[in-house]
Amino acid sequence: MRATVILTLIVWGVLAQEDQIQRINECGARCTQGLRCKAQHHFPALFAACKRDPALINSTVFHRVNLSTVMKCDKIQKCSLHLRVTATVQIYERLQGVSVCTVSSGMLEYCRVVTFPRKARGRLVGQQVEVQDDCVEVAPNQNVNVMLKTHPEYCDITWSQVYRVQGCGNAVLRSNVPECITGKIAYTVDEVKRELSVTVSDMLEDRDYHLRLCHRWEICSGTEAYTLLKREESLKRATLQYSSPLPCLCIEGWSAMADAPRVQVCPFRNRTEELWSGVTFDPEREALSWEPACPVKAVVTLCQRERGNICHDLANSSQPVGREKVTYSKVDPHPTICMKFTTDSGSWIKCPFAARNFLAWNLTMMSGPDQKQAVLKSQIRTKLSLRVCRNRTFLECDESILVTMEENSVSVNLTKEICQPNTCIQARRADVQFSIPALQCGFQCSERATVSNGQYLCRVEWLLVFAITCVMLVIIAGLAGNIILTVYQRRRANRKPGSYHQFERTAVIHPLTAVKLLHAEDGKDYTLQSSGDLEKFMLGLGMPDKFTVSDSMQNQHSLCVKPTPASQSSPLVERL
């Protein structure tokens, strides 16, 4: 743990040291030991031979060489970079000075010679002097080959190293060196209007500023959204329209000068799902295509979608994504055929035919009295293969029968082989490369079907008879219960002593009707031959019931009769 902390502190210290660039007012050469060194530009002789001195053979002249970057600024945003070379030099009698040379790609060798005063060389022989020079100008991100030589040049006494100048990613360079000043871009997004409001700050004060939208691949390919911000404008702001929020859509800005560095900000870099739109289908060629709008590492596969988000890959359909369009030729436009895009962060599925829900062809089964038939229907001219398969989980199919669909419907007679258990009929298009098969399973032979149908009809008849019988029994039981309940209530009412209910009845007795009255007390029968006799008899009983007695249909008499208590005998009227 302690070692890890120490290592982390060392790394942080190195990074902080790289970010810290010392500023100088003037460049020049300096030497220790009180020497007043002089430096001047030097053109090395191309064909000059080095000198040999036995005293310097196998000698070490240069010690502790250090290379660093310093910055010289004339004013704000006007700073230049210089290479500082610091070396400890062993002084010898014939050594007059040190030559510092730099070579970079595409540039000529540039040398500066730092010489020691002649009077001081004699007294410093055998001592070490620190020499420093920082007048070699360099550029950001430049690789510089630095060489130290003696002056005059003695053979086999050199020191060399390749030095990498800090790049524009350094915060100090990004704010002070014109080659690194790109400006800072801030933005807000209006997704409804599809607009980007862009504001630029910290740009070069004496330069105009270019601003545009681009799609970033190896380079940023520009779109039509572009504007130029004038340096005299106090507020550097612009509005740029965009068409689709793609992850590679970036805002790019740079100062109006040659070889100006550029800054790019990508507002939608996390919107990966936007890449998978734009799947197209050509019905004439039956070609399914998708073209990447941005660079992405992905694999495209055709698959068959089932419930939810489950999509089973079709064989031999995987293609890696590159710059070119991904195309699948000869694809059956089935609603469950989809494109699956797989990246390191997940998978996305696009089903271009799902919205149509249109089947160009299908398979159905028909049963005749002695024959099973497979019926193929198609809305297009195509060729369908028909196969008998077993084991529904892992299909094992026989050779296919090719059916050319010249008509909308074609029927194919099937053998008794389909009556076997776990037997299916499979149909699929034979004239395309990628298609979804149709499968029909679970057939019944015609004899079994007939027996089953007869048994089914018998069962239905018995169930119908049983249901009717149950309904009749329920009705009869209900009527009987109603009659019994009515009789019970009447008898109960008659048996209650000293109680009666006030009620009215209306009776119509025709004149030709003879009524025989049986009185319960004396057991005598009273025969009433006319309505007048009945009226006299009823009035004698004192009952409050209301009776209407008529001698004829035109003459009617109403009278109230009060019933006797339950303990007394009441007359029973019996129709003769």
Side-chain angles (χ1 to χ4, degrees):
M1 181 67 181
R2 183 177 180 182
T4 304
V5 173
I6 294 174
L7 181 60
T8 304
L9 292 175
I10 292 173
V11 172
W12 283 357
V14 171
L15 293 176
Q17 187 176 3
E18 289 182 355
D19 286 340
Q20 293 176 358
I21 298 178
Q22 184 179 352
R23 296 196 180 199
I24 60 174
N25 295 324
E26 296 293 336
C27 69
R30 289 163 292 277
C31 296
T32 61
Q33 299 289 357
L35 296 178
R36 300 184 65 179
C37 303
K38 294 182 179 181
Q40 62 181 358
H41 184 62
H42 170 66
F43 292 97
L46 296 178
F47 303 101
C50 62
K51 297 180 179 182
R52 293 188 177 274
D53 188 345
L56 296 178
I57 297 176
N58 297 326
S59 298
T60 303
V61 177
F62 303 109
H63 303 270
R64 295 187 299 276
V65 181
N66 182 47
L67 305 176
S68 61
T69 305
V70 294
M71 185 169 61
K72 179 178 177 294
C73 298
D74 299 330
K75 60 179 183 178
I76 297 175
Q77 295 185 335
K78 290 293 184 180
C79 299
S80 59
L81 300 179
H82 295 259
L83 176 65
R84 171 175 285 179
V85 181
T86 304
T88 301
V89 181
Q90 186 80 30
I91 301 298
Y92 289 90
E93 183 178 358
R94 297 183 180 180
L95 184 64
Q96 300 177 14
V98 178
S99 175
V100 180
C101 298
T102 58
V103 179
S104 59
S105 177
M107 303 294 290
L108 295 176
E109 185 178 9
Y110 176 82
C111 295
R112 281 174 57 86
V113 175
V114 181
T115 58
F116 308 134
R118 181 180 297 180
K119 294 180 180 180
R121 289 200 304 261
R123 67 180 177 83
L124 294 176
V125 172
Q127 297 185 27
Q128 293 183 351
V129 176
E130 186 176 273
V131 179
Q132 184 183 90
D133 184 74
D134 51 19
C135 282
V136 178
E137 193 168 347
V138 292
N141 293 316
Q142 186 179 12
N143 287 325
V144 182
N145 187 14
V146 182
M147 294 174 290
L148 297 181
K149 303 176 185 179
T150 61
H151 180 74
E153 184 178 356
Y154 290 97
C155 299
D156 302 325
I157 302 178
T158 59
W159 179 94
S160 65
Q161 180 178 319
V162 176
Y163 178 73
R164 175 77 174 184
V165 183
Q166 289 91 333
C168 289
N170 185 285
V172 177
L173 272 63
R174 196 166 53 246
S175 301
N176 297 277
V177 179
E179 294 90 331
C180 293
I181 297 176
T182 59
K184 295 180 181 179
I185 294 178
Y187 65 88
T188 58
V189 181
D190 188 338
E191 295 193 1
V192 177
K193 297 181 179 179
R194 293 187 175 252
E195 291 180 349
L196 291 170
S197 297
V198 185
T199 304
V200 181
S201 60
D202 297 339
M203 54 184 283
L204 284 175
E205 296 179 353
D206 59 345
R207 300 284 181 175
D208 295 338
Y209 197 80
H210 299 281
L211 203 62
R212 70 168 183 170
L213 293 182
C214 61
H215 292 119
R216 187 168 65 183
W217 290 78
E218 288 81 4
I219 61 173
C220 213
S221 303
T223 65
E224 295 181 357
Y226 166 81
T227 188
L228 180 66
L229 303 178
K230 296 295 184 178
R231 59 180 177 271
E232 58 269 14
E233 295 176 358
S234 58
L235 188 60
K236 308 297 189 299
R237 179 176 294 176
T239 300
L240 302 175
Q241 296 281 341
Y242 69 91
S243 58
S244 181
L246 296 172
C248 62
L249 181 67
C250 302
I251 307 169
E252 186 177 53
W254 70 99
S255 298
M257 66 182 213
D259 299 327
R262 303 190 178 198
V263 62
Q264 295 173 354
V265 179
C266 304
F268 311 108
R269 59 183 177 275
N270 296 324
R271 300 279 287 270
T272 311
E273 67 277 4
E274 298 292 337
L275 291 175
W276 320 127
S277 59
V279 179
T280 59
F281 181 70
D282 185 350
E284 293 184 2
R285 299 190 302 114
E286 294 184 310
L288 192 63
S289 303
W290 173 79
E291 186 172 5
C294 293
V296 61
K297 292 182 179 180
V299 176
V300 183
T301 309
L302 291 184
C303 61
Q304 180 182 4
R305 189 168 190 171
E306 293 186 354
R307 296 179 304 273
N309 208 32
I310 300 175
C311 203
H312 300 288
D313 294 348
L314 300 185
N316 303 321
S317 64
S318 295
Q319 293 189 39
V321 176
R323 288 292 303 266
E324 304 298 328
K325 180 185 293 187
V326 176
T327 302
Y328 292 94
S329 301
K330 292 296 182 181
V331 178
D332 183 18
H334 196 277
T336 61
I337 285 186
C338 306
M339 265 191 178
K340 182 166 69 175
F341 304 89
T342 305
T343 66
D344 294 337
S345 57
S347 296
W348 291 263
I349 297 173
K350 293 293 182 179
C351 303
F353 310 114
R356 300 190 310 173
N357 198 22
F358 168 73
L359 288 174
W361 63 274
N362 65 342
L363 168 68
T364 57
M365 302 301 296
M366 290 187 62
S367 299
D370 298 319
Q371 187 71 54
K372 282 280 187 181
Q373 289 183 335
V375 180
L376 300 171
K377 296 182 180 181
S378 178
Q379 305 295 327
I380 59 176
R381 297 186 61 181
T382 184
K383 293 182 180 180
L384 301 176
S385 65
L386 201 63
R387 309 174 71 182
V388 178
C389 304
R390 302 165 191 82
N391 191 354
R392 186 171 183 176
T393 305
F394 304 99
L395 291 179
E396 301 172 356
C397 302
D398 295 340
E399 294 184 1
S400 61
I401 301 173
L402 192 62
V403 180
T404 302
M405 300 299 298
E406 298 290 347
E407 301 177 356
N408 291 338
S409 178
V410 175
S411 299
V412 179
N413 294 330
L414 302 176
T415 62
K416 293 184 178 181
E417 184 182 6
I418 64 168
C419 299
Q420 298 177 4
N422 295 325
T423 302
C424 303
I425 299 297
Q426 182 195 75
R428 70 185 310 158
R429 286 188 63 179
D431 56 346
V432 294
Q433 185 177 0
F434 301 101
S435 65
I436 302 299
L439 200 66
Q440 294 282 348
C441 301
F443 305 113
Q444 291 181 341
C445 295
S446 57
E447 296 179 358
R448 295 182 180 178
T450 303
V451 172
S452 178
N453 291 337
Q455 293 177 352
Y456 174 77
L457 292 175
C458 289
R459 291 177 182 176
V460 170
E461 291 177 358
W462 279 107
L463 287 174
L464 185 61
V465 171
F466 178 75
I468 294 174
T469 303
C470 290
V471 171
M472 293 298 295
L473 290 176
V474 169
I475 293 174
I476 293 174
L479 293 175
N482 188 26
I483 295 173
I484 294 173
L485 182 61
T486 303
V487 173
Y488 170 75
Q489 290 177 348
R490 289 179 179 178
R491 289 183 178 180
R492 186 177 179 182
N494 293 333
R495 290 175 182 177
K496 288 183 180 180
S499 64
Y500 64 91
H501 297 279
Q502 192 76 20
F503 62 95
E504 289 186 354
R505 291 181 188 147
T506 301
V508 178
I509 303 176
H510 297 281
L512 298 180
T513 302
V515 180
K516 183 171 100 173
L517 301 179
L518 175 64
H519 200 276
E521 290 183 355
D522 53 11
K524 293 182 180 181
D525 294 336
Y526 296 90
T527 301
L528 305 178
Q529 296 294 334
S530 66
S531 58
D533 296 340
L534 178 61
E535 181 176 349
K536 293 177 182 181
F537 181 80
M538 288 295 183
L539 290 174
L541 295 177
M543 296 174 63
D545 286 352
K546 182 180 179 180
F547 287 85
T548 301
V549 182
S550 61
D551 292 335
S552 65
M553 295 301 295
Q554 292 79 16
N555 299 323
Q556 294 185 354
H557 304 278
S558 297
L559 47 115
C560 295
V561 181
K562 181 178 180 180
T564 59
S567 59
Q568 299 180 6
S569 299
S570 58
L572 301 179
V573 180
E574 182 179 356
R575 179 83 175 266
L576 297 179

